[in-house]
Every structure is written in C-alpha cells, then in structure tokens.
Amino acid sequence: MSWTDERIATLKKLWEGGSTASQIAEELGGVSRNAVIGKAHRLGLKSRPSPVKANAKKKAAVKKKAAPKPAPIRKPKAIMTPKTAANSPPRPPSNAVEQAARAAGANIPSQPIPNKSAEIPKIVSIGPGGFQRQGPGDQQPPIPPAPPRRLVPAKPSPEIADKTSLLDLSDKVCRWPMGHPGEPDFHFCGADVNPGFPYCVEHCGRAFQAQLPRGARRPPPPLPFGGPRVR
DNA sequence: CCCTGATTCGC
DNA sequence: GCGAATCAGG
C-alpha cells in the first residue's frame, strides 16, 4: 500500500485525534503500526504521550542494530511473528566511527535550562494592604522596561479589603481560615472570638464537635489542628 | 506478557 | 520515503 493523499489525511486526523498507532494502522489497513508511526514522524506530526520519551531521566547510550544479522528476515507485513533476537555477544560495531561522532557532537542538548538553583521557599513579607514587600535580595534587574503587566491597584482589591490577613490576627479575632493559603483572597474570619477559643462562636461550632456536658466540668474539647493556643 | 511511541537504518 | 527491527517505559 502506498501513502495516498487520502490515506495521509486519515492518518493525520486519527493521529491528532488521539488514536493509537495500532488503531490507525487497523483503520487504514495494509500497513503496520510501525509504518503508521514512521509515516507520522516523517510528516512532522509527533509528540504524543510516549511511554518512553516521557521521561528523560537516565541517559541511555542507545546502541542500535549495528549487530550483524546473518539472516535479515523480512516477514510479510500481515504476519506478526514473535521476535526473539537476544544478541548478547559483543558485536563489533561496523559503524563505530559514526556512532562515536554522533555521541560526541550530534547530541547536544537543545535546552540548557537556566536552573534557578532549586526553588527555595521564600519568606515574604506582606505590607499594609496586602502588598508583598521586596526583600533586599529580591531585586530583579532584568525587567527594566515597563512590563506589560497590570499594575496592582493602589488600594487593596475590594476582594480582600476588609478581610482579616495573617497580620491582623490576634487573640481577639477568629482565626478560622477562609479559603486556602496561596489563594489570592485567602484570609481569616476575623470576627470576635468566642472567649477562650481561637475562633468565633460560629466557627467554634465547626471546629469542635458538639459533644458534651457531662458534669459540672467542661471536658476539654477535641483539639483541632493541635489545639487552641493558650496564652 | 501485553501495550505504547521513538528510533535506527537497510532497502 | 518506507517500514521492519528494536528499544524502552507503562
């Protein structure tokens, strides 16, 4: 079978549609899975989740078949025969020079990723209004021209304007977190605390299982998150 | 073992 | 250009 325009179009469609090479081959008929993959690559379309390529962890000195195969058996395409060619004996690479050259020069990493020496958890300081203060070592010279970035409003966004920030916490306000840390509008409840508790009455109801009154003495409630801080 | 895609290289 | 053979991860 030859690759007619129509067949190529089908290949493209299915390939980009997410079908596996096997499925495509079956759909097209008359071609093997390998043929499909080979054609796909030749067409330039590629890069679909490959089990092999997904990881570029360990460098594998890929040695290909320089192995002298006495009987190059080309089998009929329709037949899949289990192949067992374990070539353990060291084979003399007939193209050793080529391989050496390839190993030496041809394989240059296309991307020398500028590694930022790992990502160190940075301690940031939040200024009034929720701005993130810049530390002495935080300067980033390489942004001289005005970045197309949108400027932060002079006053805190309405979203969090009235919200209780970390710095607003005290023994008198409810520390119940609203939202999740890292979210833009993460804040704390901030309502008046239920005396003796880190939360307001409402959130005490959520933090502490209502269980209870047993004797005169109020048993200590189940401790949430390590328990209320007593100061 | 099966599956997958990637790659090589004789044709 | 084609695709079998082979590799290698899931």
Side-chain angles (χ1 to χ4, degrees):
Chain A
M1 271 300 215
S2 61
W3 285 106
T4 63
D5 288 355
E6 190 175 353
R7 289 167 63 81
I8 291 176
T10 303
L11 165 60
K12 281 184 179 177
K13 191 177 67 176
L14 293 179
W15 182 270
E16 293 170 11
S19 300
T20 67
S22 298
Q23 291 170 334
I24 298 173
E26 189 178 347
E27 179 72 21
L28 288 173
V31 290
S32 68
R33 179 181 70 95
N34 280 326
V36 169
I37 294 175
K39 184 60 180 175
H41 284 200
R42 256 172 265 122
L43 286 173
L45 37 94
K46 55 177 179 295
S47 170
R48 289 212 285 113
S50 162
V52 178
K53 206 59 183 279
N55 264 324
K57 43 177 154 189
K58 288 176 184 172
K59 54 170 80 177
V62 181
K63 49 186 178 184
K64 274 305 170 185
K65 52 168 170 187
K69 292 210 305 192
I73 34 174
R74 290 288 197 256
K75 45 178 152 290
K77 37 188 167 183
I79 297 179
M80 292 269 204
T81 314
K83 30 207 133 185
T84 306
N87 262 338
S88 43
R91 53 246 175 144
S94 59
N95 54 351
V97 176
E98 180 182 333
Q99 284 186 338
R102 185 177 292 125
N107 277 338
I108 297 177
S110 56
Q111 243 190 334
I113 299 175
N115 194 356
K116 315 181 181 177
S117 71
E119 224 163 296
I120 304 174
K122 200 157 89 175
I123 298 179
V124 299
S125 171
I126 306 299
F131 288 106
Q132 180 175 313
R133 288 204 180 105
Q134 198 177 49
D138 291 346
Q139 294 143 0
Q140 294 177 336
I143 341 175
R149 191 157 37 98
R150 206 162 56 105
L151 294 178
V152 176
K155 56 183 183 195
S157 66
E159 272 318 300
I160 59 174
D162 304 289
K163 307 295 170 59
T164 300
S165 76
L166 180 63
L167 295 184
D168 295 328
L169 291 182
S170 75
D171 290 342
K172 297 181 168 30
V173 300
C174 178
R175 296 163 179 262
W176 189 267
M178 313 290 282
H180 300 88
E183 291 177 354
D185 62 339
F186 173 66
H187 61 283
F188 297 90
C189 173
D192 291 343
V193 295
N194 184 15
F197 294 90
Y199 308 119
C200 66
V201 174
E202 178 188 347
H203 286 132
C204 273
R206 298 189 51 178
F208 306 117
Q209 290 293 336
Q211 84 162 157
L212 210 309
R214 194 51 51 109
R217 235 158 51 129
R218 189 202 197 119
L223 306 182
F225 315 119
R229 312 272 306 219
V230 177
R231 292 184 190 162

